[in-house]
Amino acid sequence: MPFPTLTDLLSQSEGSTLEFKRTIEAPGRIAKTLAAFANTSGGWLVIGVNDDRSVKGIESEKDIVQQLEAASDLFVQPGVLLRYKAVEHHERRVLIVRVDESEDKPHQAKDHQGQWQVYVRARDKSVPATKQMGKWLQEQGEVSSELLQQHNVKRLISYLQKHKQISAKQFAQLVNISEYRSDKLLQQCTREGLLLTLHNQQPKTFTLRK
Protein backbone atom coordinates (compact mmCIF):
# COMPACT_ATOMS: atom_id res chain seq x y z
CA MET A 1 0.00 0.00 0.00
CA PRO A 2 1.48 3.39 -0.99
CA PHE A 3 2.00 6.03 1.68
CA PRO A 4 -0.62 8.81 1.77
CA THR A 5 0.47 12.41 2.05
CA LEU A 6 0.63 14.00 5.48
CA THR A 7 -2.03 16.46 4.33
CA ASP A 8 -4.38 13.56 3.59
CA LEU A 9 -3.76 12.04 7.02
CA LEU A 10 -4.22 15.36 8.82
CA SER A 11 -7.58 15.79 7.11
CA GLN A 12 -8.86 12.70 8.94
CA SER A 13 -9.75 12.04 12.55
CA GLU A 14 -8.16 9.26 14.56
CA GLY A 15 -9.95 5.96 14.05
CA SER A 16 -9.50 2.25 13.60
CA THR A 17 -6.73 2.71 11.02
CA LEU A 18 -5.15 6.00 12.11
CA GLU A 19 -3.44 7.22 15.27
CA PHE A 20 -1.47 10.39 15.97
CA LYS A 21 1.37 10.45 18.50
CA ARG A 22 3.32 13.44 19.78
CA THR A 23 6.30 11.16 20.38
CA ILE A 24 7.23 7.63 21.45
CA GLU A 25 8.07 7.69 25.16
CA ALA A 26 8.82 3.97 25.63
CA PRO A 27 8.66 0.85 23.42
CA GLY A 28 6.28 -0.96 25.75
CA ARG A 29 3.68 1.80 25.57
CA ILE A 30 3.30 1.73 21.79
CA ALA A 31 3.41 -2.07 21.43
CA LYS A 32 -0.33 -2.60 21.88
CA THR A 33 -1.07 -0.13 19.06
CA LEU A 34 1.26 -2.01 16.70
CA ALA A 35 -0.30 -5.35 17.65
CA ALA A 36 -3.85 -3.99 17.36
CA PHE A 37 -3.27 -2.59 13.86
CA ALA A 38 -1.73 -5.90 12.74
CA ASN A 39 -4.63 -7.89 14.22
CA THR A 40 -7.36 -5.75 12.67
CA SER A 41 -7.18 -3.92 9.32
CA GLY A 42 -3.70 -2.42 9.46
CA GLY A 43 -3.13 1.26 10.09
CA TRP A 44 -1.09 4.44 9.98
CA LEU A 45 0.83 5.73 12.99
CA VAL A 46 1.79 9.40 12.56
CA ILE A 47 4.49 10.54 14.98
CA GLY A 48 5.14 14.20 15.65
CA VAL A 49 1.46 15.16 15.61
CA ASN A 50 -0.80 15.85 18.62
CA ASP A 51 -4.25 14.31 19.05
CA ASP A 52 -5.75 17.60 17.83
CA ARG A 53 -3.75 17.18 14.59
CA SER A 54 -1.39 20.08 15.32
CA VAL A 55 2.07 19.30 13.97
CA LYS A 56 4.88 19.51 16.55
CA GLY A 57 7.52 17.45 14.74
CA ILE A 58 10.11 15.02 16.07
CA GLU A 59 13.64 15.64 17.28
CA SER A 60 15.30 12.43 16.12
CA GLU A 61 13.95 10.15 13.41
CA LYS A 62 16.61 7.56 14.29
CA ASP A 63 15.56 7.42 17.96
CA ILE A 64 11.87 7.02 17.06
CA VAL A 65 12.60 4.19 14.64
CA GLN A 66 14.75 2.44 17.24
CA GLN A 67 11.94 2.71 19.81
CA LEU A 68 9.41 1.27 17.35
CA GLU A 69 11.68 -1.59 16.32
CA ALA A 70 12.32 -2.37 19.99
CA ALA A 71 8.56 -2.36 20.60
CA SER A 72 8.03 -4.87 17.79
CA ASP A 73 10.99 -7.08 18.74
CA LEU A 74 10.61 -7.10 22.53
CA PHE A 75 6.98 -6.31 23.35
CA VAL A 76 5.01 -7.87 20.47
CA GLN A 77 4.92 -11.57 19.65
CA PRO A 78 5.27 -12.45 16.91
CA GLY A 79 6.86 -9.16 15.86
CA VAL A 80 5.26 -7.02 13.17
CA LEU A 81 6.77 -5.56 10.03
CA LEU A 82 6.94 -1.74 10.04
CA ARG A 83 7.48 0.60 7.10
CA TYR A 84 8.55 4.22 7.51
CA LYS A 85 8.43 7.50 5.64
CA ALA A 86 9.73 10.80 7.01
CA VAL A 87 8.15 14.00 5.65
CA GLU A 88 8.65 17.73 6.19
CA HIS A 89 5.78 19.99 7.19
CA HIS A 90 6.53 23.70 7.64
CA GLU A 91 10.14 22.90 8.60
CA ARG A 92 9.03 20.24 11.07
CA ARG A 93 9.81 16.58 10.52
CA VAL A 94 7.05 13.97 10.91
CA LEU A 95 7.39 10.18 10.73
CA ILE A 96 4.62 8.16 9.07
CA VAL A 97 4.61 4.48 10.03
CA ARG A 98 2.67 1.78 8.21
CA VAL A 99 1.52 -1.40 9.96
CA ASP A 100 -0.10 -3.84 7.54
CA GLU A 101 -2.83 -6.26 8.50
CA SER A 102 -0.92 -9.42 9.34
CA GLU A 103 -1.20 -12.94 8.00
CA ASP A 104 0.43 -14.15 11.24
CA LYS A 105 -2.31 -12.94 13.60
CA PRO A 106 -2.98 -12.95 16.43
CA HIS A 107 -0.17 -10.74 17.71
CA GLN A 108 0.14 -10.23 21.44
CA ALA A 109 1.59 -7.28 23.34
CA LYS A 110 2.63 -7.03 26.97
CA ASP A 111 0.18 -5.15 29.17
CA HIS A 112 1.16 -2.92 32.11
CA GLN A 113 1.37 -5.99 34.34
CA GLY A 114 3.76 -7.76 32.00
CA GLN A 115 1.15 -10.22 30.74
CA TRP A 116 0.78 -11.07 27.07
CA GLN A 117 -2.55 -9.90 25.65
CA VAL A 118 -4.17 -9.83 22.20
CA TYR A 119 -5.25 -6.31 21.18
CA VAL A 120 -7.56 -5.13 18.40
CA ARG A 121 -8.67 -1.71 17.17
CA ALA A 122 -12.06 -0.40 18.27
CA ARG A 123 -12.64 3.02 16.72
CA ASP A 124 -9.65 5.10 17.85
CA LYS A 125 -8.54 2.81 20.69
CA SER A 126 -6.38 -0.30 20.97
CA VAL A 127 -8.32 -2.58 23.31
CA PRO A 128 -7.84 -6.11 24.68
CA ALA A 129 -9.64 -8.73 22.63
CA THR A 130 -12.07 -11.07 24.29
CA LYS A 131 -10.92 -14.67 24.68
CA GLN A 132 -13.37 -15.66 21.96
CA MET A 133 -11.99 -13.07 19.54
CA GLY A 134 -8.41 -14.05 20.34
CA LYS A 135 -9.22 -17.66 19.52
CA TRP A 136 -11.03 -16.58 16.36
CA LEU A 137 -8.00 -14.56 15.20
CA GLN A 138 -5.79 -17.60 15.71
CA GLU A 139 -8.06 -19.67 13.49
CA GLN A 140 -7.95 -17.16 10.64
CA GLY A 141 -4.64 -18.60 9.47
CA GLU A 142 -6.73 -21.43 8.02
CA VAL A 143 -8.85 -19.03 5.93
CA SER A 144 -7.54 -17.60 2.65
CA SER A 145 -6.22 -14.06 2.92
CA GLU A 146 -7.96 -13.19 -0.37
CA LEU A 147 -11.34 -13.92 1.19
CA LEU A 148 -10.60 -11.93 4.33
CA GLN A 149 -9.52 -8.90 2.26
CA GLN A 150 -12.93 -8.56 0.59
CA HIS A 151 -14.79 -5.48 1.78
CA ASN A 152 -18.10 -7.33 2.13
CA VAL A 153 -16.44 -10.08 4.18
CA LYS A 154 -14.92 -7.50 6.53
CA ARG A 155 -18.39 -5.97 6.98
CA LEU A 156 -19.76 -9.45 7.65
CA ILE A 157 -17.14 -10.19 10.33
CA SER A 158 -17.72 -6.84 12.02
CA TYR A 159 -21.48 -7.45 12.09
CA LEU A 160 -21.16 -10.98 13.46
CA GLN A 161 -18.81 -9.91 16.24
CA LYS A 162 -21.69 -7.78 17.53
CA HIS A 163 -24.82 -9.68 16.51
CA LYS A 164 -23.69 -13.36 16.59
CA GLN A 165 -25.68 -14.56 13.55
CA ILE A 166 -26.98 -13.40 10.19
CA SER A 167 -29.24 -14.67 7.40
CA ALA A 168 -28.66 -14.30 3.66
CA LYS A 169 -31.41 -11.68 3.50
CA GLN A 170 -29.92 -9.65 6.36
CA PHE A 171 -26.45 -9.81 4.80
CA ALA A 172 -27.82 -8.74 1.41
CA GLN A 173 -29.39 -5.66 3.04
CA LEU A 174 -26.22 -4.96 5.04
CA VAL A 175 -23.90 -4.74 2.03
CA ASN A 176 -26.50 -3.83 -0.62
CA ILE A 177 -26.21 -6.90 -2.87
CA SER A 178 -28.77 -9.41 -4.14
CA GLU A 179 -29.91 -12.18 -1.83
CA TYR A 180 -28.55 -14.70 -4.35
CA ARG A 181 -25.04 -13.18 -4.23
CA SER A 182 -25.33 -12.89 -0.47
CA ASP A 183 -26.09 -16.59 -0.08
CA LYS A 184 -23.22 -17.56 -2.45
CA LEU A 185 -20.71 -15.53 -0.42
CA LEU A 186 -21.98 -16.93 2.87
CA GLN A 187 -21.65 -20.44 1.47
CA GLN A 188 -18.09 -19.70 0.34
CA CYS A 189 -17.20 -18.40 3.80
CA THR A 190 -18.64 -21.60 5.26
CA ARG A 191 -16.63 -23.83 2.91
CA GLU A 192 -13.40 -22.01 3.79
CA GLY A 193 -14.00 -22.41 7.50
CA LEU A 194 -14.85 -18.82 8.42
CA LEU A 195 -18.53 -19.49 9.25
CA LEU A 196 -20.78 -22.19 10.63
CA THR A 197 -24.31 -22.78 9.34
CA LEU A 198 -27.13 -22.91 11.89
CA HIS A 199 -29.56 -25.28 10.16
CA ASN A 200 -31.96 -25.28 13.11
CA GLN A 201 -32.80 -21.62 12.47
CA GLN A 202 -35.53 -20.49 10.07
CA PRO A 203 -34.48 -18.89 7.85
CA LYS A 204 -31.05 -20.55 7.84
CA THR A 205 -28.47 -18.36 9.56
CA PHE A 206 -24.70 -18.20 9.80
CA THR A 207 -22.31 -17.47 12.65
CA LEU A 208 -18.55 -17.07 13.07
CA ARG A 209 -16.74 -20.30 13.73
CA LYS A 210 -15.63 -20.47 17.37
Side-chain angles (χ1 to χ4, degrees):
M1 177 178 291
F3 278 72
T5 66
L6 180 60
T7 300
D8 286 341
L9 293 170
L10 293 175
S11 69
Q12 304 173 45
S13 299
E14 287 188 310
S16 62
T17 60
L18 177 62
E19 183 163 324
F20 299 115
K21 285 287 184 185
R22 171 66 183 87
T23 188
I24 303 299
E25 298 176 352
R29 298 187 65 177
I30 197 62
K32 68 178 184 179
T33 301
L34 303 181
F37 277 150
N39 284 333
T40 316
S41 301
W44 302 100
L45 183 61
V46 186
I47 304 168
V49 177
N50 287 329
D51 290 344
D52 63 3
R53 291 176 283 182
S54 59
V55 178
K56 297 300 181 182
I58 57 176
E59 294 183 3
S60 172
E61 178 185 334
K62 180 180 178 181
D63 287 348
I64 296 294
V65 170
Q66 287 178 341
Q67 294 267 42
L68 290 168
E69 291 294 334
S72 175
D73 292 343
L74 302 176
F75 295 93
V76 179
Q77 61 175 20
V80 297
L81 178 65
L82 306 175
R83 294 187 286 129
Y84 307 93
K85 183 178 181 180
V87 297
E88 297 288 336
H89 182 83
H90 299 306
E91 300 183 352
R92 292 176 176 172
R93 200 161 183 79
V94 172
L95 187 66
I96 303 173
V97 184
R98 175 63 189 176
V99 184
D100 288 323
E101 182 177 358
S102 176
E103 296 182 357
D104 298 323
K105 63 179 71 170
H107 294 265
Q108 300 180 83
K110 279 189 177 180
D111 62 21
H112 64 280
Q113 296 178 331
Q115 302 297 313
W116 291 102
Q117 170 71 56
V118 175
Y119 288 89
V120 293
R121 290 294 286 187
R123 297 186 180 178
D124 60 345
K125 304 294 182 183
S126 299
V127 300
T130 63
K131 289 183 179 180
Q132 290 80 7
M133 184 182 291
K135 181 181 179 182
W136 178 79
L137 286 167
Q138 184 111 36
E139 292 170 342
Q140 297 323 295
E142 304 169 22
V143 181
S144 72
S145 59
E146 290 83 3
L147 180 66
L148 293 174
Q149 288 300 317
Q150 293 184 34
H151 176 72
N152 286 346
V153 174
K154 289 183 178 181
R155 292 280 306 277
L156 172 65
I157 293 169
S158 178
Y159 179 91
L160 287 175
Q161 286 171 344
K162 298 176 181 176
H163 300 281
K164 304 302 182 184
Q165 60 190 47
I166 194 169
S167 67
K169 182 176 181 179
Q170 289 171 323
F171 183 42
Q173 294 171 343
L174 177 69
V175 297
N176 194 28
I177 60 177
S178 69
E179 193 169 335
Y180 173 79
R181 287 182 57 200
S182 166
D183 186 67
K184 295 283 284 186
L185 184 53
L186 289 169
Q187 295 293 347
Q188 180 186 358
C189 290
T190 302
R191 287 194 302 272
E192 296 208 23
L194 180 62
L195 302 179
L196 289 175
T197 306
L198 302 177
H199 292 284
N200 60 334
Q201 302 286 337
Q202 291 298 328
K204 180 174 64 177
T205 59
F206 300 81
T207 188
L208 286 174
R209 187 182 66 179
K210 302 301 182 183

